[in-house]
Amino acid sequence: MRNILDFLYRFRFFLLFITLEAISIVLVVRNNGYQQSIVLTATSRFTGRIQQSYERVMSYFSLRYTNEALMAENALLRAQLRNAFFEDSRTMFYQEDSMFMQRFTYLPADVIRNTASRRNNYIVIDRGRKHGVEKNMGVFTSDGVVGIIRSVSDHYASALSVLHNDVRISSKIKRNGYVGTFRWEGGDVSRGWMTEVPGHVDLQAGDTIVTSGYSLIFPAGIPVGTIEDFELKEDEHFYKIRIKIAVDFRRMDHVYVVKDLMRNEFKELKEPVNE
Amino acid sequence: MNNVIISNALRFLALLAIQVLVLDHIYIGGYLNPYIYVLFILLLPFETPGWLLLLSAFSMGLSVDMFNGTGGVHAAAATWMAFVRPSVLRLISSTREYEPGLKPGISYLGFQWFFSYSLILIMLHHFLLFLLEVFSFRDFGDTLLRTVLSSALSFLLVLVAQYLFYRRN
């Protein structure tokens, strides 16, 4: 017994080191499973409040940019109002309710925590379970796709940013509709890659890439980025396309969370195929 | 003695605030993240007992983690840095004894000493940090590159802080 205590005492520095490292690693691993703990740690009551007041101050600095973005969006929405259209077919408007069913709903939210400097980046927003946010909902701004909700607490939710190893966005080339997969591969936060576009497709630098709508997360047509460059290796059948990401992840204040009201219906259709 | 504790506690808070409120919001090229909070561990007095060294580094790392939502990567890296600090000190002190009252800083031990002392420790810290952040040996070259570039930046900040605040008297 004495010897054991002696041993413990002699190596107390090392043992304490091992203990503290073990605690840290457990925290890392638990966090890497990115389930609840991201929200719990990033938005625990104390740090959450400090972050929020920080964001409140910092949001003033991007007011100009935010205003421009809102103006642009207002203009876009105005163009979709009924009075912006020439009423060509009178019957159409009267049948609107029974012809069109709401599929997507949108919830505005403020970003209270956003990283862009890591290999795997997250966004925390100030809307959570109480506001109807659920796992796997899409997040975007008026500029384009931002991320996918990963975990939700009562008042906050955290999303995997597009700048995350595990995020792939099913997207298509707006001009001709060919579908591929968009993914960020580290490094520059404004460049990503699109793959799985077959080699016979006609591509042009500057083509817009939008979401395909196949994923049950985003509606079709939300901007992802624009083609900057592409190459087709000799013995390969698919392009490797360099994309300039539409969203500037270094300044982001207001986002929308999109909910697909028919998600469950689609999932029911999909499930038997998977089995 | 009380004085030492208070000044280190104040340094803890000040560096933590600078780290999480300013530096964590700076993005340079997707690769460079400066971490000034390591200065706290660098500047702990020589006579700090081992357990206190480890615990204060751990709590510094954990605080940064809590603000960043990164689990325990900073805690692990900071504890590791505190663990190797005595060995690094032994490694580079061959010419001069650490007398009581001497503090680890440029003004006490000179530029050359401080250069090797802080650069070695910062590199060790950043390497573990970025490795844990990716949590795999994939993209290892990328991790190394981030370690080198970010270490250089952190080191530069540490030097600036030294010349700004720690002139002798």
Side-chain angles (χ1 to χ4, degrees), chain A residues 13-14 16-17 20-21 23-24 27-29 31-32 41 47 51 54 113-119 165 250, chain B residues 21 25 27 33 50-51 54 58 62 66-73 75-76 79-80 83 133 135 138 146:
Chain A
F13 185 57
F14 183 70
L16 181 61
F17 166 68
L20 293 178
E21 284 296 320
I23 296 172
S24 315
L27 289 173
V28 174
V29 172
N31 200 28
N32 251 45
T41 51
T47 58
Q51 301 280 6
Y54 178 85
R113 174 80 208 167
N114 169 35
T115 67
S117 57
R118 306 196 200 133
R119 179 62 185 84
N165 205 22
R250 284 161 294 199
Chain B
L21 294 182
H25 298 271
Y27 309 117
N33 316 59
W51 61 271
L54 288 176
F58 178 74
L62 200 63
M66 264 151 63
F67 278 98
N68 278 337
T70 41
V73 289
T79 312
W80 157 247
F83 177 70
E133 198 179 282
F135 212 66
R138 236 181 10 179
R146 290 181 69 189

Side-chain angles (χ1 to χ4, degrees), chain A residues 32 40 45 49 53 62 95 112 120 122 133 143 156-157 161-162 164 167 173 178 184-185 200 238 240 245 248 270 272:
Chain A
N32 251 45
L40 288 182
R45 229 165 273 150
R49 199 168 299 160
S53 38
S62 51
Q95 289 175 353
I112 62 163
N120 292 322
Y122 296 92
V133 179
D143 289 338
Y156 300 103
S161 159
V162 168
H164 190 291
V167 171
I173 297 157
Y178 276 98
W184 183 67
E185 294 183 351
H200 61 80
F238 296 98
K240 175 125 176 145
I245 299 176
D248 185 352
K270 268 179 121 177

